[in-house]
Coordinates of all heavy atoms in Angstrom, one line a residue:
M927 N 220.8 -140.6 -44.8 CA 219.9 -141.4 -44.0 C 220.3 -142.9 -44.0 O 220.3 -143.5 -43.0 CB 218.5 -141.2 -44.4 CG 217.5 -141.7 -43.4 SD 217.5 -140.7 -42.0 CE 216.0 -141.0 -41.3
D928 N 220.8 -143.3 -45.2 CA 221.3 -144.7 -45.3 C 222.4 -145.0 -44.3 O 222.5 -146.1 -43.7 CB 221.7 -145.0 -46.7 CG 220.6 -145.2 -47.6 OD1 219.5 -145.6 -47.1 OD2 220.8 -145.2 -48.9
N929 N 223.3 -144.0 -44.1 CA 224.4 -144.2 -43.2 C 224.0 -144.4 -41.8 O 224.5 -145.3 -41.1 CB 225.3 -143.0 -43.3 CG 226.6 -143.2 -42.6 OD1 227.1 -144.3 -42.4 ND2 227.2 -142.1 -42.1
F930 N 222.9 -143.7 -41.4 CA 222.4 -143.9 -40.0 C 221.7 -145.3 -39.9 O 221.9 -146.0 -38.9 CB 221.3 -142.8 -39.7 CG 221.9 -141.5 -39.5 CD1 221.4 -140.4 -40.1 CD2 223.1 -141.3 -38.7 CE1 221.9 -139.1 -39.9 CE2 223.6 -140.0 -38.5 CZ 223.0 -138.9 -39.1
E931 N 221.0 -145.6 -40.9 CA 220.3 -147.0 -40.9 C 221.4 -148.1 -40.9 O 221.2 -149.1 -40.1 CB 219.4 -147.1 -42.1 CG 218.2 -146.2 -42.0 CD 217.4 -146.2 -43.3 OE1 217.7 -146.9 -44.2 OE2 216.3 -145.5 -43.3
N932 N 222.4 -147.9 -41.6 CA 223.5 -149.0 -41.6 C 224.2 -149.0 -40.3 O 224.4 -150.1 -39.8 CB 224.5 -148.6 -42.7 CG 224.0 -148.9 -44.1 OD1 223.1 -149.6 -44.3 ND2 224.7 -148.3 -45.1
R933 N 224.4 -147.9 -39.7 CA 225.1 -147.9 -38.4 C 224.2 -148.5 -37.3 O 224.6 -149.3 -36.5 CB 225.4 -146.5 -38.0 CG 226.6 -145.9 -38.9 CD 226.9 -144.5 -38.6 NE 227.4 -144.2 -37.3 CZ 227.5 -143.0 -36.7 NH1 227.3 -141.9 -37.5 NH2 227.9 -142.8 -35.5
I934 N 222.8 -148.2 -37.4 CA 221.9 -148.7 -36.4 C 221.8 -150.2 -36.6 O 221.8 -151.0 -35.7 CB 220.5 -148.0 -36.6 CG1 220.6 -146.6 -36.1 CG2 219.4 -148.8 -35.8 CD1 219.4 -145.7 -36.4
S935 N 221.7 -150.7 -37.9 CA 221.7 -152.1 -38.2 C 222.9 -152.8 -37.7 O 222.8 -153.9 -37.1 CB 221.5 -152.3 -39.7 OG 221.5 -153.6 -40.0
S936 N 224.1 -152.2 -37.9 CA 225.3 -152.8 -37.4 C 225.3 -152.9 -35.9 O 225.7 -153.9 -35.3 CB 226.5 -151.9 -37.9 OG 227.7 -152.4 -37.3
L937 N 224.8 -151.8 -35.2 CA 224.7 -151.9 -33.7 C 223.8 -152.9 -33.3 O 224.1 -153.6 -32.3 CB 224.3 -150.5 -33.2 CG 225.4 -149.4 -33.3 CD1 224.8 -148.1 -32.9 CD2 226.6 -149.8 -32.3
K938 N 222.7 -153.1 -33.9 CA 221.7 -154.1 -33.6 C 222.3 -155.5 -33.7 O 222.1 -156.3 -32.8 CB 220.4 -154.0 -34.4 CG 219.5 -152.9 -34.0 CD 218.3 -152.9 -34.9 CE 217.3 -151.8 -34.6 NZ 216.1 -151.8 -35.4
S939 N 223.0 -155.7 -34.8 CA 223.6 -157.0 -35.0 C 224.7 -157.3 -33.9 O 224.8 -158.4 -33.4 CB 224.3 -157.1 -36.4 OG 223.3 -157.0 -37.4
R940 N 225.5 -156.3 -33.6 CA 226.5 -156.5 -32.6 C 225.9 -156.7 -31.2 O 226.4 -157.5 -30.5 CB 227.5 -155.3 -32.6 CG 228.3 -155.2 -33.8 CD 229.1 -153.9 -34.0 NE 229.9 -153.5 -32.8 CZ 230.3 -152.3 -32.6 NH1 230.1 -151.3 -33.5 NH2 231.0 -152.0 -31.5
L941 N 224.8 -156.0 -31.0 CA 224.1 -156.2 -29.7 C 223.6 -157.6 -29.6 O 223.7 -158.2 -28.5 CB 223.0 -155.1 -29.5 CG 222.2 -155.2 -28.3 CD1 223.0 -155.1 -27.0 CD2 221.0 -154.2 -28.3
E942 N 223.0 -158.1 -30.7 CA 222.4 -159.4 -30.7 C 223.5 -160.5 -30.5 O 223.4 -161.4 -29.7 CB 221.7 -159.7 -32.0 CG 220.9 -161.0 -32.0 CD 219.8 -161.0 -30.9 OE1 219.1 -159.9 -30.6 OE2 219.5 -162.1 -30.4
A943 N 224.7 -160.2 -31.1 CA 225.8 -161.1 -31.0 C 226.3 -161.2 -29.5 O 226.6 -162.2 -28.9 CB 226.9 -160.7 -31.9
K944 N 226.3 -160.0 -28.9 CA 226.7 -159.9 -27.5 C 225.7 -160.6 -26.5 O 226.1 -161.2 -25.6 CB 227.0 -158.5 -27.1 CG 228.2 -157.8 -27.7 CD 229.4 -158.6 -27.4 CE 230.6 -158.0 -28.1 NZ 231.8 -158.8 -27.9
K945 N 224.5 -160.5 -26.9 CA 223.4 -161.1 -26.1 C 223.6 -162.6 -26.2 O 223.5 -163.3 -25.1 CB 222.0 -160.8 -26.6 CG 221.6 -159.4 -26.2 CD 220.2 -159.1 -26.7 CE 219.7 -157.7 -26.3 NZ 218.3 -157.5 -26.9
N946 N 223.9 -163.2 -27.4 CA 224.1 -164.6 -27.6 C 225.4 -165.0 -26.8 O 225.4 -166.1 -26.2 CB 224.2 -164.9 -29.0 CG 222.9 -164.8 -29.8 OD1 221.9 -164.9 -29.2 ND2 223.0 -164.6 -31.1
E947 N 226.4 -164.2 -26.9 CA 227.6 -164.5 -26.2 C 227.4 -164.5 -24.7 O 227.9 -165.4 -24.0 CB 228.7 -163.4 -26.5 CG 230.0 -163.7 -26.0 CD 231.0 -162.6 -26.4 OE1 231.0 -162.2 -27.6 OE2 231.9 -162.2 -25.6
K948 N 226.6 -163.6 -24.2 CA 226.3 -163.6 -22.7 C 225.5 -164.8 -22.3 O 225.7 -165.5 -21.3 CB 225.4 -162.4 -22.4 CG 225.1 -162.3 -20.9 CD 224.2 -161.1 -20.7 CE 223.7 -161.1 -19.2 NZ 222.5 -160.3 -19.0
T949 N 224.5 -165.3 -23.2 CA 223.7 -166.4 -22.9 C 224.6 -167.7 -22.8 O 224.5 -168.5 -21.9 CB 222.6 -166.6 -24.0 OG1 221.8 -165.4 -23.9 CG2 221.8 -167.8 -23.7
R950 N 225.5 -167.8 -23.8 CA 226.5 -168.9 -23.8 C 227.4 -168.9 -22.5 O 227.6 -169.9 -21.9 CB 227.3 -168.9 -25.0 CG 226.6 -169.5 -26.3 CD 227.6 -169.7 -27.4 NE 228.4 -168.5 -27.8 CZ 228.0 -167.6 -28.6 NH1 226.9 -167.6 -29.2 NH2 228.9 -166.6 -28.9
A951 N 227.8 -167.7 -22.2 CA 228.7 -167.6 -21.0 C 227.9 -168.0 -19.7 O 228.5 -168.7 -18.8 CB 229.2 -166.2 -20.9
E952 N 226.7 -167.6 -19.6 CA 225.9 -167.9 -18.5 C 225.7 -169.4 -18.4 O 225.7 -170.0 -17.3 CB 224.6 -167.2 -18.5 CG 224.7 -165.7 -18.2 CD 223.4 -164.9 -18.4 OE1 222.5 -165.3 -19.1 OE2 223.3 -163.8 -17.8
A953 N 225.4 -170.0 -19.6 CA 225.2 -171.5 -19.6 C 226.5 -172.2 -19.2 O 226.4 -173.2 -18.4 CB 224.8 -171.9 -21.0
N954 N 227.6 -171.7 -19.7 CA 228.9 -172.3 -19.3 C 229.2 -172.1 -17.8 O 229.7 -173.1 -17.2 CB 230.1 -171.7 -20.1 CG 230.1 -172.1 -21.5 OD1 229.5 -173.1 -21.9 ND2 230.7 -171.3 -22.4
L955 N 228.8 -171.0 -17.3 CA 229.0 -170.7 -15.8 C 228.1 -171.7 -15.0 O 228.6 -172.3 -14.0 CB 228.7 -169.3 -15.5 CG 228.8 -168.9 -14.0 CD1 230.1 -169.2 -13.4 CD2 228.3 -167.5 -13.8
E956 N 226.9 -171.9 -15.5 CA 226.0 -172.7 -14.7 C 226.5 -174.2 -14.8 O 226.5 -174.9 -13.7 CB 224.6 -172.7 -15.4 CG 223.5 -173.5 -14.7 CD 222.2 -173.3 -15.3 OE1 221.9 -172.2 -15.8 OE2 221.4 -174.3 -15.4
M957 N 227.0 -174.6 -15.9 CA 227.6 -176.0 -16.0 C 228.8 -176.1 -15.1 O 229.0 -177.1 -14.4 CB 227.9 -176.3 -17.5 CG 228.5 -177.7 -17.7 SD 227.4 -179.0 -17.3 CE 226.4 -179.0 -18.8
A958 N 229.7 -175.1 -15.1 CA 230.9 -175.2 -14.3 C 230.5 -175.2 -12.8 O 231.1 -175.9 -12.0 CB 231.8 -174.0 -14.6
E959 N 229.5 -174.4 -12.4 CA 229.1 -174.4 -11.0 C 228.5 -175.8 -10.6 O 228.8 -176.3 -9.5 CB 228.1 -173.3 -10.8 CG 228.7 -171.9 -10.8 CD 227.7 -170.8 -10.7 OE1 226.5 -171.0 -11.0 OE2 228.1 -169.7 -10.3
K960 N 227.8 -176.4 -11.6 CA 227.2 -177.7 -11.3 C 228.3 -178.8 -11.1 O 228.3 -179.6 -10.2 CB 226.3 -178.1 -12.4 CG 225.6 -179.5 -12.2 CD 224.7 -179.8 -13.4 CE 224.1 -181.2 -13.2 NZ 223.3 -181.6 -14.3
Q961 N 229.3 -178.7 -12.0 CA 230.4 -179.6 -11.9 C 231.2 -179.4 -10.6 O 231.7 -180.4 -10.0 CB 231.4 -179.5 -13.2 CG 230.8 -180.0 -14.4 CD 231.6 -179.6 -15.7 OE1 232.5 -178.7 -15.6 NE2 231.4 -180.3 -16.7
L962 N 231.4 -178.2 -10.3 CA 232.1 -177.9 -9.0 C 231.4 -178.5 -7.8 O 232.0 -179.1 -7.0 CB 232.2 -176.3 -8.8 CG 232.9 -175.9 -7.5 CD1 234.3 -176.4 -7.3 CD2 232.8 -174.4 -7.4
Q963 N 230.1 -178.4 -7.8 CA 229.3 -178.9 -6.7 C 229.4 -180.5 -6.7 O 229.5 -181.1 -5.6 CB 227.9 -178.5 -6.8 CG 227.6 -177.0 -6.5 CD 228.2 -176.6 -5.2 OE1 228.1 -177.3 -4.1 NE2 229.0 -175.5 -5.2
E964 N 229.5 -181.0 -7.9 CA 229.7 -182.5 -7.9 C 231.0 -182.9 -7.4 O 231.1 -183.9 -6.6 CB 229.5 -183.0 -9.4 CG 228.1 -182.9 -9.9 CD 228.0 -183.2 -11.4 OE1 229.0 -183.6 -12.1 OE2 226.9 -183.2 -11.9
V965 N 232.1 -182.2 -7.8 CA 233.4 -182.5 -7.3 C 233.5 -182.3 -5.8 O 234.0 -183.1 -5.0 CB 234.5 -181.6 -8.0 CG1 235.8 -181.7 -7.3 CG2 234.6 -182.0 -9.5
V966 N 232.9 -181.2 -5.3 CA 232.9 -181.0 -3.8 C 232.2 -182.1 -3.1 O 232.6 -182.6 -2.1 CB 232.2 -179.6 -3.5 CG1 231.9 -179.4 -2.1 CG2 233.1 -178.5 -4.0
G967 N 231.1 -182.6 -3.7 CA 230.3 -183.7 -3.1 C 231.2 -184.9 -3.1 O 231.2 -185.7 -2.1
K968 N 231.9 -185.2 -4.1 CA 232.7 -186.4 -4.2 C 233.9 -186.3 -3.1 O 234.2 -187.3 -2.5 CB 233.3 -186.6 -5.6 CG 232.3 -187.1 -6.6 CD 232.9 -187.2 -8.0 CE 231.8 -187.6 -9.0 NZ 232.4 -187.7 -10.3
I969 N 234.4 -185.1 -3.0 CA 235.5 -184.9 -2.0 C 234.9 -185.2 -0.6 O 235.6 -185.9 0.2 CB 236.1 -183.5 -2.1 CG1 236.9 -183.4 -3.4 CG2 237.0 -183.2 -0.9 CD1 237.3 -182.0 -3.8
R970 N 233.8 -184.6 -0.3 CA 233.2 -184.8 1.0 C 232.8 -186.3 1.2 O 232.9 -186.8 2.3 CB 232.0 -183.9 1.1 CG 232.4 -182.5 1.3 CD 231.2 -181.6 1.7 NE 231.7 -180.3 2.0 CZ 231.2 -179.1 1.5 NH1 230.2 -179.2 0.8 NH2 231.8 -178.0 1.9
D971 N 232.4 -187.0 0.1 CA 232.1 -188.4 0.2 C 233.3 -189.2 0.7 O 233.2 -190.3 1.3 CB 231.5 -189.0 -1.1 CG 230.1 -188.5 -1.4 OD1 229.4 -188.0 -0.5 OD2 229.7 -188.7 -2.6
L972 N 234.4 -188.7 0.3 CA 235.7 -189.4 0.6 C 236.2 -189.0 2.1 O 237.2 -189.5 2.6 CB 236.8 -189.0 -0.3 CG 236.6 -189.5 -1.8 CD1 237.7 -188.9 -2.7 CD2 236.7 -191.1 -1.8
G973 N 235.4 -188.1 2.7 CA 235.7 -187.8 4.1 C 236.5 -186.5 4.3 O 237.1 -186.3 5.4
Y974 N 236.7 -185.7 3.2 CA 237.5 -184.5 3.3 C 236.7 -183.3 3.0 O 235.7 -183.3 2.4 CB 238.7 -184.6 2.3 CG 239.6 -185.8 2.5 CD1 239.5 -186.9 1.7 CD2 240.5 -185.8 3.5 CE1 240.3 -188.0 1.9 CE2 241.3 -186.9 3.7 CZ 241.2 -188.0 2.9 OH 242.0 -189.1 3.1
E975 N 237.2 -182.2 3.5 CA 236.6 -180.9 3.2 C 237.5 -180.3 2.1 O 238.8 -180.3 2.2 CB 236.6 -179.9 4.4 CG 235.4 -180.2 5.4 CD 234.1 -180.1 4.7 OE1 233.8 -179.1 4.0 OE2 233.3 -181.1 4.9
P976 N 236.9 -179.7 1.1 CA 237.7 -179.1 0.0 C 238.8 -178.1 0.4 O 239.9 -178.2 -0.1 CB 236.7 -178.5 -0.9 CG 235.4 -179.2 -0.7 CD 235.5 -179.6 0.8
N977 N 238.5 -177.3 1.4 CA 239.5 -176.3 1.9 C 240.6 -177.0 2.6 O 241.7 -176.4 2.8 CB 238.8 -175.3 2.8 CG 237.8 -174.4 2.1 OD1 237.9 -174.3 0.9 ND2 236.9 -173.9 2.8
D978 N 240.4 -178.2 3.1 CA 241.5 -178.9 3.8 C 242.5 -179.7 2.9 O 243.5 -180.2 3.3 CB 240.9 -179.9 4.8 CG 240.1 -179.2 5.9 OD1 240.3 -178.0 6.1 OD2 239.3 -179.9 6.5
L979 N 242.1 -179.8 1.6 CA 242.9 -180.6 0.6 C 244.4 -180.2 0.6 O 245.2 -181.1 0.5 CB 242.3 -180.6 -0.8 CG 241.0 -181.4 -0.9 CD1 240.5 -181.3 -2.3 CD2 241.1 -182.8 -0.4
P980 N 244.8 -178.9 0.6 CA 246.2 -178.7 0.5 C 247.0 -179.3 1.7 O 248.0 -179.8 1.5 CB 246.3 -177.2 0.6 CG 245.0 -176.7 0.0 CD 244.0 -177.7 0.4
D981 N 246.4 -179.2 2.9 CA 247.0 -179.9 4.1 C 247.0 -181.4 4.0 O 248.0 -182.0 4.3 CB 246.3 -179.4 5.4 CG 246.5 -178.0 5.7 OD1 247.5 -177.4 5.2 OD2 245.6 -177.4 6.4
V982 N 245.9 -181.9 3.5 CA 245.9 -183.4 3.3 C 246.9 -183.9 2.3 O 247.6 -184.8 2.5 CB 244.4 -183.8 2.9 CG1 244.4 -185.3 2.5 CG2 243.4 -183.5 4.0
I983 N 247.0 -183.1 1.2 CA 248.0 -183.5 0.2 C 249.4 -183.4 0.7 O 250.3 -184.3 0.5 CB 247.8 -182.6 -1.1 CG1 246.5 -183.0 -1.8 CG2 249.0 -182.7 -2.0 CD1 246.1 -182.0 -2.9
A984 N 249.7 -182.3 1.5 CA 251.0 -182.2 2.1 C 251.3 -183.3 3.1 O 252.5 -183.9 3.1 CB 251.1 -180.8 2.8
Q985 N 250.3 -183.7 3.8 CA 250.6 -184.9 4.8 C 250.8 -186.2 4.0 O 251.7 -187.0 4.4 CB 249.3 -185.0 5.7 CG 249.2 -183.9 6.7 CD 247.8 -184.0 7.4 OE1 247.0 -184.8 7.1 NE2 247.6 -183.1 8.3
L986 N 250.0 -186.4 2.9 CA 250.2 -187.6 2.1 C 251.6 -187.6 1.4 O 252.3 -188.6 1.4 CB 249.1 -187.7 1.1 CG 247.7 -188.0 1.6 CD1 246.7 -187.9 0.5 CD2 247.7 -189.4 2.3
E987 N 252.0 -186.4 0.9 CA 253.4 -186.4 0.3 C 254.5 -186.7 1.4 O 255.4 -187.4 1.1 CB 253.6 -185.0 -0.3 CG 252.8 -184.7 -1.5 CD 252.9 -183.3 -2.1 OE1 253.3 -182.4 -1.3 OE2 252.6 -183.1 -3.3
Q988 N 254.3 -186.2 2.6 CA 255.3 -186.4 3.6 C 255.3 -187.9 4.0 O 256.3 -188.5 4.2 CB 255.0 -185.6 4.9 CG 256.0 -185.7 6.0 CD 257.4 -185.3 5.5 OE1 257.6 -184.2 4.9 NE2 258.4 -186.1 5.6
S989 N 254.1 -188.5 4.1 CA 254.0 -189.9 4.4 C 254.7 -190.8 3.3 O 255.4 -191.7 3.6 CB 252.5 -190.3 4.5 OG 252.4 -191.7 4.7
V990 N 254.5 -190.4 2.0 CA 255.2 -191.1 0.9 C 256.7 -191.0 1.1 O 257.4 -191.9 0.9 CB 254.6 -190.6 -0.4 CG1 255.5 -191.1 -1.6 CG2 253.2 -191.0 -0.7
T991 N 257.1 -189.8 1.3 CA 258.6 -189.5 1.5 C 259.1 -190.3 2.6 O 260.2 -191.0 2.5 CB 258.8 -188.0 1.7 OG1 258.3 -187.2 0.6 CG2 260.3 -187.7 1.9
D992 N 258.4 -190.3 3.7 CA 258.9 -191.1 4.9 C 258.9 -192.6 4.6 O 259.8 -193.3 4.9 CB 258.0 -190.9 6.1 CG 258.1 -189.4 6.6 OD1 259.0 -188.7 6.3 OD2 257.2 -189.1 7.4
N993 N 257.8 -193.1 3.9 CA 257.8 -194.5 3.6 C 258.9 -194.9 2.6 O 259.5 -196.0 2.7 CB 256.4 -194.9 3.1 CG 255.4 -194.9 4.1 OD1 255.7 -195.1 5.3 ND2 254.1 -194.6 3.8
L994 N 259.2 -194.1 1.6 CA 260.2 -194.4 0.7 C 261.6 -194.4 1.4 O 262.4 -195.3 1.2 CB 260.3 -193.3 -0.4 CG 259.2 -193.4 -1.5 CD1 259.2 -192.2 -2.4 CD2 259.4 -194.7 -2.3
A995 N 261.8 -193.5 2.3 CA 263.1 -193.5 3.1 C 263.2 -194.7 3.9 O 264.3 -195.3 4.0 CB 263.2 -192.2 3.9
E996 N 262.1 -195.1 4.5 CA 262.1 -196.4 5.3 C 262.4 -197.6 4.4 O 263.2 -198.5 4.8 CB 260.8 -196.5 6.1 CG 260.7 -197.8 6.9 CD 261.6 -197.8 8.1 OE1 262.3 -196.7 8.4 OE2 261.7 -198.8 8.8
A997 N 261.8 -197.7 3.3 CA 262.0 -198.8 2.4 C 263.4 -198.8 1.9 O 264.0 -199.9 1.8 CB 261.0 -198.7 1.2
E998 N 264.0 -197.6 1.6 CA 265.4 -197.6 1.2 C 266.3 -198.0 2.3 O 267.3 -198.7 2.0 CB 265.7 -196.2 0.7 CG 265.1 -195.8 -0.6 CD 265.1 -194.3 -0.9 OE1 265.4 -193.5 0.0 OE2 264.9 -194.0 -2.1
R999 N 266.0 -197.6 3.5 CA 266.8 -198.0 4.7 C 266.8 -199.5 4.9 O 267.8 -200.2 5.0 CB 266.3 -197.3 5.9 CG 267.2 -197.6 7.2 CD 266.5 -197.1 8.4 NE 265.3 -197.8 8.8 CZ 265.1 -199.0 9.3 NH1 266.2 -199.7 9.5 NH2 264.0 -199.5 9.5
I1000 N 265.6 -200.1 4.8 CA 265.4 -201.5 5.0 C 266.1 -202.3 3.8 O 266.8 -203.3 4.1 CB 263.9 -201.9 5.0 CG1 263.3 -201.4 6.3 CG2 263.7 -203.4 4.9 CD1 261.8 -201.5 6.3
L1001 N 266.0 -201.8 2.6 CA 266.7 -202.5 1.5 C 268.2 -202.4 1.7 O 268.9 -203.4 1.4 CB 266.3 -201.8 0.2 CG 266.9 -202.4 -1.1 CD1 266.5 -203.9 -1.2 CD2 266.4 -201.6 -2.3
A1002 N 268.7 -201.2 2.1 CA 270.2 -201.1 2.3 C 270.6 -202.1 3.4 O 271.7 -202.7 3.3 CB 270.5 -199.7 2.7
E1003 N 269.9 -202.2 4.5 CA 270.2 -203.1 5.6 C 270.2 -204.6 5.0 O 271.1 -205.4 5.4 CB 269.2 -203.0 6.7 CG 269.4 -201.8 7.6 CD 268.4 -201.7 8.7 OE1 267.6 -202.7 8.9 OE2 268.4 -200.7 9.5
T1004 N 269.2 -204.9 4.3 CA 269.1 -206.2 3.7 C 270.3 -206.5 2.8 O 270.9 -207.6 2.9 CB 267.8 -206.4 2.9 OG1 266.7 -206.1 3.8 CG2 267.6 -207.8 2.4
E1005 N 270.7 -205.6 2.0 CA 271.8 -205.8 1.1 C 273.1 -205.9 1.9 O 274.0 -206.8 1.6 CB 272.0 -204.6 0.1 CG 270.9 -204.6 -0.9 CD 270.8 -203.4 -1.8 OE1 271.5 -202.4 -1.4 OE2 270.2 -203.4 -2.8
M1006 N 273.3 -205.2 3.0 CA 274.5 -205.3 3.8 C 274.5 -206.6 4.5 O 275.6 -207.3 4.6 CB 274.5 -204.1 4.9 CG 274.8 -202.8 4.3 SD 274.9 -201.4 5.4 CE 274.9 -202.0 7.0
M1007 N 273.4 -207.1 5.0 CA 273.3 -208.4 5.6 C 273.6 -209.5 4.6 O 274.3 -210.5 4.9 CB 271.9 -208.7 6.3 CG 271.7 -207.8 7.5 SD 270.0 -207.8 8.2 CE 269.5 -209.5 8.0
K1008 N 273.1 -209.4 3.4 CA 273.4 -210.4 2.4 C 274.9 -210.4 2.0 O 275.4 -211.5 1.9 CB 272.5 -210.0 1.2 CG 272.3 -211.1 0.2 CD 271.4 -210.6 -0.9 CE 270.9 -211.8 -1.7 NZ 270.0 -211.4 -2.8
E1009 N 275.5 -209.3 2.0 CA 276.9 -209.2 1.7 C 277.7 -209.8 2.8 O 278.7 -210.5 2.6 CB 277.4 -207.7 1.4 CG 276.9 -207.2 0.1 CD 277.2 -205.7 0.0 OE1 278.0 -205.2 0.8 OE2 276.7 -205.1 -1.0
A1010 N 277.3 -209.6 4.1 CA 278.0 -210.1 5.2 C 277.9 -211.6 5.3 O 278.9 -212.3 5.6 CB 277.4 -209.5 6.5
V1011 N 276.8 -212.1 4.9 CA 276.6 -213.6 4.9 C 277.4 -214.2 3.8 O 278.0 -215.3 3.9 CB 275.1 -214.0 4.7 CG1 274.9 -215.4 4.5 CG2 274.3 -213.5 5.9
A1012 N 277.6 -213.5 2.6 CA 278.3 -214.0 1.5 C 279.8 -214.1 1.8 O 280.5 -214.9 1.2 CB 278.1 -213.2 0.3
L1013 N 280.3 -213.3 2.7 CA 281.7 -213.3 3.1 C 282.0 -214.5 4.0 O 282.7 -215.3 4.1 CB 282.1 -212.0 3.8 CG 282.0 -210.8 3.0 CD1 282.3 -209.6 4.0 CD2 282.9 -210.7 1.9

């Protein structure tokens, strides 16, 4: 009979531990969902929709690439003009 009682006691302890684990997981999920909503709100406050961010990021990256190329072109022209004047 002791063996059954020990097994039942062990199962009760494990069940209680799993209940506590579930409660913690639910609390973490609730916190994560709240944080997600805050981030979504901040993104919308900036004038963007969260689902549009990949396209917005791609456009910004292209703009940076284009601007860097333009700056390099202007710098190269300036250097060439400077060399021509020095001659």
